[in-house]
Amino acid sequence: MTKRNAHTGEMTRAIHAGEVPDPTTGASAPAIHMSSTFVSHEVSGFSAHDLTDDSPFLYARWANPSVQLLERKLSAMQRTEETLCTASGMAAAAAIMLTFLSKGDHLVVSDVSYAGVAELARDTLPRYGIEVTPVDMSDLDAVANAMRPNTKLVHVESPVNPIMRLADIAAIAKLAHDGGALLSCDATFASPLGMDTEALGIDLVMHSTTKYVGGHGDAVGGAVCGSAELIQKMRLEASIHHGGILSPFNAWLISRGAATLPLRMKAHQAGAQAVAEWLETRDAVSHVMYPGLPSHPQHDLAKQQMKNFSGMLSFQVGDVAAGERIAKAMIEKLQVVHYAVSLGHHRSLIFWMETEGLLDTSFRLTDAARESYRAFAGDGIFRLSVGLEDAEDIIADLAQVL
Ligand SMILES: *Cc1c(COP(=O)(O)O)cnc(C)c1O
């Protein structure tokens, strides 16, 4: 199935990869296999080390048919040999870092990233004797200078949450590989269809499948896509030993969402472009950041690196007082756009993110890094995840408060 799917188109792969009609019932849609254990037909070992790719299902923490279906679908969509699904996006980030880093190793990580990933890298990893250097990955010299002989992993995010700054991934892949390190990329904002991750040289692509892949705001999950060798290693550590597996029910929901991802990403991009262009015309809005806008400082890189500009944008409205006043008005008045965290859903979501608080808590940036952040985010931004509603309705909703 996987081989044949490698030759089909993007939309066909999203729908059919990993799936076959049920051989006993003829059911066209996949079943949900909630079983935690599986009846054995032979006497076999009970060690994770005995597992091979074609081992029969034995226990759901090792493998489960509904989770495996999603893993095969994501591999086909992301065009990697294998995928490991995890309980959440954070479990995917932890799986990468705790599998490929050991005491004495060094991690180079994007200085601005999803807050949970930033805190995992800065607070948790050093407790295990892992050295961590946060770097502004839009600055290639800074990445090169951060590399050390013991650098084992470079972890980049592009576009970065929440400020929509990009990193030149192909160039960073070269720096990582020249230094003997793996490159992992949190591509949640871009979605599995947003970048040609193989051409860019990414070894491990991670997603919070809670976001675009699931796409409907009803299931938390994560995934890491990569070579069979790397993913097998992670499966042993992260699933079997750390235990952060995806539930079969969530896998089923996320697979159903994934089937329409190509269509949804086109619509997210079209909606976000329309909303971003409208925002640029508003007096209340001082700055809009969207990779699809010519005004984005890295628009050329975006055009070169992104196949889809996605539905994420941010905008500024002046100082903190203005941001908080407008956030309050949004909570009271918005009807189409939900004032809520998270992103990538069919419903539009917006959230105010004040700069100083984030810089002091999650990112703890100093001087030059603070300046770079402020160039993208000022005193604070509204992070808007443009959903699949009609763009005119999203705009009319926002026009009440902007
Ligand atoms: C949401 C998110 C995560 C964490 O994912 P969860 O599923 O919430 O654990 C990681 N990275 C990025 C970029 C995200 O947006």
Side-chain angles (χ1 to χ4, degrees):
M1 195 73 200
T2 314
K3 277 218 174 70
R4 202 183 76 212
N5 272 308
H7 303 293
T8 55
E10 191 169 80
M11 303 223 272
T12 309
R13 280 202 305 280
I15 293 166
H16 288 285
E19 301 187 13
V20 280
D22 189 295
T24 46
T25 63
S28 164
I32 310 175
H33 292 281
M34 292 302 291
S35 194
S36 59
T37 192
F38 298 85
V39 173
S40 288
H41 298 291
E42 57 186 73
V43 179
S44 65
F46 189 67
S47 162
H49 294 276
D50 296 338
L51 280 186
T52 60
D53 263 359
D54 45 12
S55 293
F57 293 109
L58 194 65
Y59 184 59
R61 183 158 37 76
W62 300 3
N64 166 284
S66 297
V67 176
Q68 188 178 77
L69 185 159
L70 176 59
E71 289 176 341
R72 289 183 173 168
K73 195 180 283 298
L74 289 175
S75 299
M77 294 170 79
Q78 193 69 78
R79 292 188 165 287
T80 55
E81 284 178 345
E82 278 203 32
T83 293
L84 173 74
C85 282
T86 54
S88 66
M90 277 311 300
I96 293 171
M97 292 176 184
L98 296 175
T99 300
F100 296 106
L101 293 168
S102 302
K103 186 176 167 188
D105 290 344
H106 176 235
L107 165 72
V108 175
V109 64
S110 184
D111 68 345
V112 177
S113 59
Y114 182 74
V117 174
E119 290 163 17
L120 169 70
R122 284 166 177 71
D123 298 337
T124 307
L125 297 185
R127 287 200 290 114
Y128 294 93
I130 296 161
E131 299 165 27
V132 177
T133 306
V135 171
D136 174 356
M137 296 233 174
S138 67
D139 178 350
L140 290 174
D141 289 338
V143 180
N145 288 335
M147 296 296 294
R148 299 180 192 165
N150 59 338
T151 306
K152 290 283 163 57
L153 182 69
V154 176
H155 181 79
V156 64
E157 194 174 309
S158 186
V160 290
N161 178 40
I163 59 175
M164 308 306 299
R165 190 173 68 195
L166 308 183
D168 181 342
I169 295 173
I172 292 172
K174 184 160 187 330
L175 289 172
H177 295 155
D178 286 351
L182 291 171
L183 177 68
S184 58
C185 176
D186 186 339
T188 299
F189 269 42
S191 93
L193 307 175
M195 297 186 289
D196 184 345
T197 54
E198 190 183 10
L200 292 172
I202 302 169
D203 300 296
L204 295 158
V205 190
M206 75 156 262
H207 296 282
S208 165
T209 55
T210 316
K211 315 293 171 52
Y212 283 110
V213 180
H216 295 79
D218 52 15
V220 172
V224 187
C225 309
S227 69
E229 188 195 344
L230 296 178
I231 298 296
Q232 261 325 102
K233 224 172 153 182
M234 294 181 66
R235 196 180 295 286
L236 180 67
E237 292 261 356
S239 291
I240 300 173
H241 295 159
H242 305 163
I245 57 160
L246 184 64
S247 89
F249 185 56
N250 280 19
W252 183 85
L253 284 169
I254 293 165
S255 298
R256 194 164 86 143
T260 55
L261 187 68
L263 276 175
R264 286 190 288 108
M265 289 316 297
K266 282 183 198 148
H268 278 298
Q269 172 175 257
Q273 186 76 32
V275 173
E277 285 172 8
W278 174 78
L279 283 167
E280 281 201 316
T281 68
R282 302 301 284 183
D283 289 343
V285 176
S286 53
H287 212 133
V288 185
M289 280 291 173
Y290 179 62
L293 286 179
S295 61
H296 189 288
Q298 298 160 299
H299 182 58
D300 288 340
L301 175 62
K303 279 193 291 190
Q304 180 190 317
Q305 179 169 289
M306 299 182 80
K307 294 193 290 174
N308 178 298
F309 295 130
S310 184
M312 295 304 301
L313 61 86
S314 69
F315 62 91
Q316 298 170 38
V317 293
D319 61 9
V320 174
E324 289 181 351
R325 178 173 46 75
I326 290 173
K328 237 183 185 163
M330 286 177 173
I331 291 169
E332 280 166 17
K333 294 193 178 143
L334 295 186
Q335 289 177 324
V336 174
V337 181
H338 286 185
Y339 188 86
V341 293
S342 204
L343 57 109
H345 303 163
H346 55 341
R347 295 179 194 87
S348 290
L349 305 170
I350 198 162
F351 209 76
W352 163 247
M353 297 188 169
E354 188 251 333
T355 293
E356 282 303 311
L358 263 180
L359 293 188
D360 288 340
T361 54
S362 296
F363 302 140
R364 279 168 253 152
L365 302 185
T366 51
D367 306 342
R370 276 183 115 87
E371 246 171 68
S372 171
Y373 187 100
R374 283 187 161 278
F376 279 76
D379 288 339
I381 47 166
F382 284 95
R383 186 184 72 179
L384 173 59
S385 171
V386 177
L388 300 178
E389 303 94 342
D390 296 286
E392 307 84 77
D393 293 331
I394 298 170
I395 288 169
D397 207 33
L398 293 172
Q400 299 179 84
V401 295
L402 292 171

